[in-house]
């Protein structure tokens, strides 16, 4: 279901879609707050908060965060913007699986250049989940969270040797806690936020979930979620949010020197494929990132794309790209050249 919502006077309305069976309508683009945690670079507080406010002004009503982002800083900044609008106007999504220890330093290995001086502690237990939720409520400055996701239970994060133990801990601990919160109507929906379609399938078969956020595995570049997971999500009424639709950057920048794929320098085969996709896009006068956004929204299971932004201008650029037309011939040409899965649904 799609409905129009008002945004800035004189600007086109940003469409909304129903998020699975949650009863919530979310804007087709959500605001992803990872950059607000000083991801890779420190941000000015005022500019970071202004980016969230601009998103709200343009009709974005989905705010996605996590305790991990800046070790709590992203939730703090998001909470400031959240308090400047009517709470019922925003669907707030955050995650569990880590809580922040304020008595120890952050340690090494974080991609966050700044952030809070607190250590992230992995904990998918029942008690650890409840602690994480309580901390998020305090940082966000709200009395409820609409969507709660179990975060990063995937091989990418924990490695092949540890994933079975983490999956078991999450289902026996975090899932039980979130299911209780859902039954008590403390949250509207529960789900998973991961980087692997295979883990989404495992969780879907192991529990009853309302929504999932999958990062990077359904994009204009690659569609590993297409064969099994997305049809399964659609059949079970799971509302899908997609993150990482630029595959860590290369679908935004194109195949330029230093282009990133999965947070590393893109390998030659990826560079070649992106260059070929970009060539077809240019032939139709469509910018590569615009095509990437429209394609990801083309699957009927997908309700919203969660896009990070550091400035109000980046938010405006994302919204404008989603509201611009893309000719159907572009998708036909990509499939004809073998650059897009023949079975991938495309925007009408």
């Amino acid at each position: 279901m799609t409905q129009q919502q008002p945004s800035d006077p004189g600007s086109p309305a940003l469409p909304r879609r129903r998020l699975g069976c949650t009863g919530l309508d979310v804007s087709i683009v959500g605001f992803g707050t990872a950059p607000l945690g000083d991801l890779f670079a420190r941000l000015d507080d005022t500019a970071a908060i202004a980016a969230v406010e601009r998103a709200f002004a343009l009709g974005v009503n989905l705010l996605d965060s996590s305790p991990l982002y800046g070790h709590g800083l992203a939730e703090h900044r998001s909470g400031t913007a959240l308090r400047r609008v009517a709470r019922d106007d925003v669907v707030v999504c955050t995650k569990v699986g880590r809580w922040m220890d304020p008595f120890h330093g952050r340690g090494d290995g974080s991609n966050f250049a700044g952030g809070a001086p607190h250590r992230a502690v992995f904990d998918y237990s029942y008690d650890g989940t409840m602690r994480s939720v309580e901390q998020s409520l305090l940082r966000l400055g709200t009395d409820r969270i609409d969507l709660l996701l179990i975060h990063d239970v995937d091989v990418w994060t924990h490695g092949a040797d540890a994933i079975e133990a983490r999956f078991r801990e999450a289902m026996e601990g975090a899932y039980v806690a979130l299911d209780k919160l859902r039954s008590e109507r403390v949250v509207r929906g529960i789900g998973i936020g991961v980087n692997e379609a295979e883990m989404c399938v495992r969780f879907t078969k192991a529990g009853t979930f309302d929504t999932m956020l999958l990062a990077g595995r359904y994009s204009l570049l690659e569609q590993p979620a297409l064969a099994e997971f997305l049809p399964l999500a659609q059949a079970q009424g799971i509302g899908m949010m997609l993150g990482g639709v630029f595959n860590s950057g290369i679908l935004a920048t194109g195949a330029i020197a230093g282009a990133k794929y999965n947070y590393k320098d893109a390998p030659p085969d990826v560079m070649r494929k992106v260059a070929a996709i970009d060539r077809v896009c240019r032939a139709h006068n469509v910018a590569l990132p615009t095509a990437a956004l429209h394609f990801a929204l083309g699957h009927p299971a997908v309700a919203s794309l969660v896009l990070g932004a550091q400035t109000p201008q980046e938010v405006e650029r994302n919204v404008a790209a989603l509201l611009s037309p893309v000719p159907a011939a572009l998708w036909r040409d990509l499939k004809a050249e073998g650059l897009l899965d023949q079975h991938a649904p495309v925007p009408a």
Side-chain angles (χ1 to χ4, degrees):
M1 182 178 85
T2 301
Q3 64 186 45
Q4 299 295 330
Q5 297 292 333
S7 56
D8 271 7
S11 67
L14 189 60
R16 294 185 180 181
R17 295 178 178 178
R18 181 59 55 93
L19 185 65
C21 299
T22 64
L24 298 168
D25 291 324
V26 296
S27 49
I28 59 172
V29 56
F31 189 94
T33 65
L36 268 59
D38 291 345
L39 182 63
F40 302 125
R42 293 178 182 270
L43 300 185
D44 173 74
D45 246 10
T46 301
I49 295 165
V52 188
E53 292 186 293
R54 186 60 180 147
F56 292 160
L58 290 173
V60 174
N61 80 325
L62 174 62
L63 178 76
D64 175 71
S65 197
S66 168
L68 173 64
Y69 304 156
H71 295 223
L73 179 60
E75 287 186 330
H76 274 295
R77 285 171 165 166
S78 298
T80 300
L82 191 63
R83 288 189 293 276
R84 296 174 181 175
V85 296
R87 176 63 183 84
D88 288 346
D89 289 348
V90 182
V91 176
V92 175
C93 175
T94 194
K95 306 180 183 76
V96 301
R98 299 173 177 89
W99 53 268
M100 296 300 134
D101 179 357
F103 301 109
H104 295 86
R106 291 188 344 173
D108 300 326
S110 173
N111 287 324
F112 297 95
H118 302 157
R119 178 163 299 186
V121 179
F122 275 114
D123 191 343
Y124 296 101
S125 70
Y126 182 96
D127 289 343
T129 297
M130 290 301 193
R131 175 184 289 189
S132 175
V133 172
E134 181 177 294
Q135 289 184 345
S136 289
L137 286 167
L138 291 170
R139 284 189 292 262
L140 289 164
T142 185
D143 59 354
R144 71 184 190 279
I145 294 167
D146 301 295
L147 304 172
L148 276 172
L149 310 181
I150 304 173
H151 199 193
D152 285 345
V153 185
D154 48 33
V155 177
W156 171 274
T157 304
H158 299 288
D161 293 339
I163 190 59
E164 294 304 321
R166 287 299 193 187
F167 180 78
R168 185 168 57 252
E169 180 187 8
M171 285 305 303
E172 294 175 355
Y175 175 73
V176 175
L178 296 193
D179 189 42
K180 180 176 187 291
L181 293 174
R182 177 175 56 184
S183 69
E184 295 173 347
R185 300 183 183 274
V186 176
V187 299
R188 295 286 296 273
I190 66 172
I192 305 298
V194 294
N195 299 286
E196 295 155 6
E198 297 82 1
M199 292 307 300
C200 288
V201 171
R202 285 195 64 180
F203 275 107
T204 300
K205 293 179 177 179
T208 302
F209 295 97
D210 307 294
T211 184
M212 292 191 180
L213 173 55
L214 176 63
R217 305 287 76 83
Y218 190 76
S219 72
L220 188 61
L221 175 60
E222 56 182 317
Q223 302 91 46
L226 181 62
E228 184 177 8
F229 173 57
L230 287 176
L232 181 62
Q234 195 174 5
Q236 297 202 9
I238 295 174
M240 284 304 303
M241 300 177 285
L242 293 181
V245 295
F246 296 135
N247 288 110
S248 303
I250 193 166
L251 287 179
T253 64
I256 62 173
K260 301 300 180 186
Y261 169 75
N262 282 354
Y263 303 103
K264 299 177 181 178
D265 287 345
D269 60 325
V270 170
M271 293 283 277
R272 286 191 295 270
K273 184 174 182 180
V274 171
I277 294 171
D278 194 15
R279 173 179 48 77
V280 176
C281 289
R282 289 174 185 272
H284 290 276
N285 295 313
V286 175
L288 177 63
T290 297
L293 293 177
H294 281 260
F295 170 76
L297 271 176
H299 197 288
V302 176
S304 186
L305 308 182
V306 175
L307 304 178
Q310 295 180 333
T311 66
Q313 292 73 30
E314 288 183 12
V315 175
E316 292 167 357
R317 196 158 56 240
N318 289 335
V319 170
L322 279 169
L323 295 177
S324 63
V326 174
L330 169 62
W331 315 119
R332 292 197 296 269
D333 287 353
L334 287 172
K335 289 186 176 184
E337 294 200 23
L339 296 169
L340 189 59
D341 192 299
Q342 296 296 318
H343 302 290
V346 296

